[in-house]
Amino acid sequence: MRRKLIVANRKMNGSIPDNRAFLEGLLMGTKDFTNADFVVCFPHPYLFQAQSMLTGTPIAWGGQNMSRYDHGPYTGSVSASMLIEFGCRYVIIGHSERRTRGHDSDNSVGERFRAAVAAGLRPIFCMGETQEEFEQGLTDLVTIRQLNTLIQQVGIKNLTDGILAYEPVWAIGTGKAATPEHAQAILHFLRGYLILKDPVVGREISILYGGSLNSRNAADLLSMPDIDGGLIGTASLNTEEFVEICQTANSFVVCEC
Ligand code: PGA
């Protein structure tokens, strides 16, 4: 049973008053939506606020990154157990904005995935090709390479401890989303690859699409059979627009695959 999942990636945005207004609007706007799940990923300092406003509500929250280590001399880093202390259930790992700026390597992502799961978090593993790779027709190759690195490190059976997110780099923050057909084709390809390796994992794993998903294209993207939800940056900064996307996700019947 794969329910639609909508994840807000607020990136390095917000303030205490702004987050309060956003969460009040989100709680009010989504109170009748029971067919889908909603998560908000905040910058670390605001997790205390998420915890105080969202505890006991259906909305979950998470971090946008974490260390592969549990504690020690890693200045500026945050561990999975710290995220757990602030009530997080999710954490984004391997986002392209971190991979491309040299902070995260393919190899460290598996260790983070394992550390997240060991602490009780659900990691959201991001992958996707650059504009150049897209133009060269390398999307399949690049995403499979990224996925294989993860599989080698954590093992196929453990993939369903987390969530996958296909986020083409050229679509992130550009206003130029992938077409629903392109996103569906890649997700179908990735799911097919996983089904060959392990039919249960392939059918059960949630795969999100991210990259300029907004209230205008949400219905077309989310209606695709292999797209289990969205990872949403820019459109999560506007409460009304984000609630509209949540409403769209809620309108889909749960897939019994
Ligand atoms: P975007 O960001 O919605 O602004 O394209 C998505 C993401 O980076 O997760």
Side-chain angles (χ1 to χ4, degrees):
M1 299 275 275
R2 302 199 315 260
R3 285 161 63 85
K4 297 283 186 207
L5 173 68
I6 299 295
V7 182
N9 176 9
R10 302 264 297 171
K11 306 197 179 180
M12 199 173 71
N13 293 295
S15 63
I16 291 175
D18 175 67
N19 300 337
R20 185 179 306 121
F22 171 72
L23 289 178
E24 281 170 358
L26 187 60
L27 285 166
M28 180 65 81
T30 58
K31 67 180 182 340
D32 299 324
F33 301 167
T34 52
N35 293 333
D37 296 314
F38 310 112
V39 179
V40 184
C41 292
F42 281 102
H44 296 146
Y46 298 134
L47 291 173
F48 83 96
Q49 192 183 12
Q51 186 176 33
S52 69
M53 287 188 70
L54 296 177
T55 298
T57 76
I59 296 178
W61 60 99
Q64 298 173 7
N65 181 45
M66 55 163 269
S67 168
R68 62 187 125 159
Y69 305 112
D70 187 56
H71 64 275
Y74 305 104
T75 303
S77 296
V78 165
S79 71
S81 57
M82 294 171 186
L83 296 180
I84 288 280
E85 277 195 292
F86 285 90
C88 290
R89 282 180 38 213
Y90 294 84
V91 61
I92 298 171
I93 57 171
H95 190 282
S96 70
E97 283 159 12
R98 295 195 57 85
R99 288 182 194 255
T100 50
R101 288 174 195 157
H103 301 291
D104 292 1
S105 68
D106 267 1
N107 282 335
S108 74
V109 174
E111 288 178 59
R112 263 171 243 234
F113 190 103
R114 270 203 305 266
V117 172
L121 293 166
R122 275 180 90 65
I124 302 169
F125 171 80
C126 301
M127 61 193 156
E129 80 285 7
T130 62
Q131 172 83 41
E132 208 183 357
E133 289 162 341
F134 175 66
E135 283 164 9
Q136 290 171 5
L138 297 175
T139 303
D140 292 0
L141 213 73
V142 170
T143 48
I144 286 293
R145 191 201 70 221
Q146 293 169 334
L147 188 56
N148 270 337
T149 310
L150 181 67
I151 294 170
Q152 275 156 19
Q153 290 179 321
V154 307
I156 181 83
K157 293 259 179 254
N158 299 320
L159 277 198
T160 45
D161 289 336
I163 289 161
L164 304 178
Y166 168 60
E167 293 211 306
V169 179
W170 48 267
I172 295 176
T174 59
K176 203 176 73 180
T179 61
E181 294 72 25
H182 172 81
Q184 166 59 23
I186 302 303
L187 266 65
H188 187 69
F189 165 72
L190 294 172
R191 192 181 299 288
Y193 180 78
L194 292 173
I195 287 174
L196 282 179
K197 288 192 168 282
D198 187 312
V200 175
V201 169
R203 290 203 179 87
E204 281 186 357
I205 194 147
S206 266
I207 315 182
L208 312 181
Y209 166 77
S212 298
L213 200 160
N214 57 40
S215 55
R216 294 173 304 286
N217 59 27
D220 289 341
L221 283 160
L222 297 176
S223 64
M224 291 290 158
D226 284 295
I227 301 183
D228 299 322
L231 182 53
I232 294 146
T234 311
S236 75
L237 299 179
N238 177 322
T239 312
E240 277 174 28
E241 173 154 30
F242 188 66
V243 168
E244 250 184 82
I245 297 170
C246 294
Q247 183 172 24
T248 303
N250 188 62
S251 69
F252 292 103
V253 186
V254 173
C255 162
E256 290 190 49
C257 327

